[in-house]
Amino acid sequence: MKKEKIKLEKEKETLLIPLYCKALESKKETPIISDNKAIEIVSKIEYDYAQLKIPRQTHVTICMRAKQFDNYVREFLQKYPKGVVVQLGCGLDSRFSRVDNSTVEWYDLDYPEVIKLRKSFYQETDRYHLIPSPVMEFKWIDNLLSKKGPFIFLAEGLFMYLKGEEAKSLILTLQKKFSGSMLIFDSYSVLTAKNVKRHPSLKKTGAIIHWGIDDAHDIEKWNPGIRLIEEWYFTQSEEIRKLDIFYRIIFKIAGLSPVARKAHRILVFQLQRKEQGRVPYSYFTPF
């Protein structure tokens, strides 16, 4: 079988990290997440994944993160079956096929070279769309303005690669253009963002982590109408029970420390323009 050759650098190459983690996890008897598409893609890409030197802790948190994002989308689609999901920095993720309810309209966005690679494995349909664009070049928003929503924006493994001013600009733009939308992203603490450069996988790819935040409520101060709905910690994951005793203990200990819990977590925001008052639909009940 002829394999797909890839030429990705820095943060673009990091998309192979979650892909490989989900493929390995899916082969287990009781996986944290099942993703047969990841297994398929890994087998069809010519790449030495061993070079990434992915630590066990990273593998576990990446799979937990993917499962929790899936949970959020499923909850959203239970309330709004015809809602619009926009995945920013989608990489080669197969979330659409994992959570598709047959009525959602879905947009996956990433750099043009990533989308070109993605087209080798995914086909667009009348409900599934690919947008080739850097997330910070906001012309991609024009593709969505005619849609009624409600909207949910996902940014898994993206915000840490943005600079602080870029993160703020993106959030304020989504608030302005899609008032009433939900935004879900994972974030590092300031200390984690500073120290994660030692991570072996990031050393291999050359990707640079720019941004972290300690108090997620600080984002609410960026503009009236931004509201933190939930701050989800990996120590809350039900998937911990599937780990061996060593890692169950590690997560239990981490749960006792606010610093450890906030090192990497998932943030859920409601983005609403203040002048609009209450939005016409409800939001997540925290897990």
Side-chain angles (χ1 to χ4, degrees), residues 137-150:
E137 293 182 9
F138 293 148
K139 288 183 179 180
W140 59 264
I141 288 175
D142 296 340
N143 292 270
L144 306 172
L145 292 178
S146 64
K147 305 300 176 181
K148 293 182 179 179

Side-chain angles (χ1 to χ4, degrees), residues 73 76-77 83-87 104-108 150-152 154:
V73 178
F76 174 79
L77 293 179
V84 181
V85 179
V86 184
Q87 190 160 233
V104 61
E105 185 153 10
W106 195 288
Y107 293 83
D108 273 341
F151 285 87
I152 183 171
L154 312 174

Side-chain angles (χ1 to χ4, degrees), residues 89-149:
C90 61
L92 293 174
D93 180 70
S94 67
R95 178 159 291 114
F96 171 70
S97 60
R98 295 199 301 268
V99 304
D100 183 23
N101 66 347
S102 300
T103 55
V104 61
E105 185 153 10
W106 195 288
Y107 293 83
D108 273 341
L109 177 147
D110 214 314
Y111 289 103
E113 53 267 54
V114 174
I115 294 298
K116 181 179 179 180
L117 174 62
R118 190 174 178 86
K119 286 182 177 179
S120 300
F121 307 106
Y122 298 92
Q123 292 185 340
E124 293 185 88
T125 69
D126 58 342
R127 292 189 298 108
Y128 177 67
H129 316 278
L130 297 173
I131 303 177
S133 173
V135 72
M136 295 308 300
E137 293 182 9
F138 293 148
K139 288 183 179 180
W140 59 264
I141 288 175
D142 296 340
N143 292 270
L144 306 172
L145 292 178
S146 64
K147 305 300 176 181
K148 293 182 179 179

Side-chain angles (χ1 to χ4, degrees), residues 25 44 88 93 95 125 131 147 172 189 191 193 232 242:
E25 186 68 20
K44 292 181 178 179
L88 306 176
D93 180 70
R95 178 159 291 114
T125 69
I131 303 177
K147 305 300 176 181
L172 294 182
S189 66
L191 181 62
W232 184 89
K242 296 180 180 178

Side-chain angles (χ1 to χ4, degrees), residues 23-252:
L24 288 181
E25 186 68 20
S26 299
K27 295 178 181 179
K28 295 181 178 180
E29 187 174 339
T30 55
I32 293 172
I33 188 168
S34 296
D35 191 343
N36 290 330
K37 189 68 174 180
I39 296 175
E40 174 197 334
I41 296 174
V42 163
S43 70
K44 292 181 178 179
I45 287 180
E46 186 176 308
Y47 187 84
D48 182 6
Y49 295 95
Q51 297 179 74
L52 294 172
K53 299 179 181 178
I54 304 170
R56 170 66 173 159
Q57 181 77 13
T58 298
H59 172 101
V60 169
T61 55
I62 281 177
C63 293
M64 286 181 174
R65 180 182 70 182
K67 184 65 174 285
Q68 184 62 14
F69 269 79
D70 285 1
N71 289 342
Y72 282 128
V73 178
R74 287 192 178 100
E75 182 184 4
F76 174 79
L77 293 179
Q78 284 178 357
K79 293 183 178 180
Y80 316 110
K82 295 184 178 180
V84 181
V85 179
V86 184
Q87 190 160 233
L88 306 176
C90 61
L92 293 174
D93 180 70
S94 67
R95 178 159 291 114
F96 171 70
S97 60
R98 295 199 301 268
V99 304
D100 183 23
N101 66 347
S102 300
T103 55
V104 61
E105 185 153 10
W106 195 288
Y107 293 83
D108 273 341
L109 177 147
D110 214 314
Y111 289 103
E113 53 267 54
V114 174
I115 294 298
K116 181 179 179 180
L117 174 62
R118 190 174 178 86
K119 286 182 177 179
S120 300
F121 307 106
Y122 298 92
Q123 292 185 340
E124 293 185 88
T125 69
D126 58 342
R127 292 189 298 108
Y128 177 67
H129 316 278
L130 297 173
I131 303 177
S133 173
V135 72
M136 295 308 300
E137 293 182 9
F138 293 148
K139 288 183 179 180
W140 59 264
I141 288 175
D142 296 340
N143 292 270
L144 306 172
L145 292 178
S146 64
K147 305 300 176 181
K148 293 182 179 179
F151 285 87
I152 183 171
F153 292 88
L154 312 174
E156 182 182 3
L158 171 67
F159 268 72
M160 57 280 294
Y161 295 107
L162 301 179
K163 295 179 181 178
E165 61 270 22
E166 291 177 323
K168 183 175 183 178
S169 175
L170 176 57
I171 290 175
L172 294 182
T173 299
L174 294 178
Q175 181 193 24
K176 179 179 179 181
K177 298 291 186 178
F178 304 98
S179 183
S181 64
M182 301 300 298
L183 169 65
I184 303 177
F185 65 93
D186 58 311
S187 176
Y188 289 151
S189 66
V190 173
L191 181 62
T192 302
K194 180 180 179 181
N195 292 334
V196 77
K197 61 184 178 182
R198 304 188 185 99
H199 193 286
S201 302
L202 294 183
K203 284 185 177 180
K204 162 58 181 74
T205 62
I208 299 174
I209 299 298
H210 293 287
W211 185 66
I213 188 167
D214 291 332
D215 187 349
H217 287 285
D218 286 344
I219 294 175
E220 294 178 311
K221 301 173 185 176
W222 290 355
N223 207 39
I226 298 175
R227 185 162 68 94
L228 179 65
I229 302 297
E230 182 176 23
E231 188 168 12
W232 184 89
Y233 306 116
F234 288 92
T235 52
Q236 296 174 236
S237 176
E238 294 183 357
E239 305 305 318
I240 292 174
R241 58 187 170 80
K242 296 180 180 178
L243 303 178
D244 57 51
I245 185 63
F246 174 78
Y247 279 96
R248 291 204 300 271
I249 292 173
I250 291 295
F251 274 92
K252 185 175 182 179

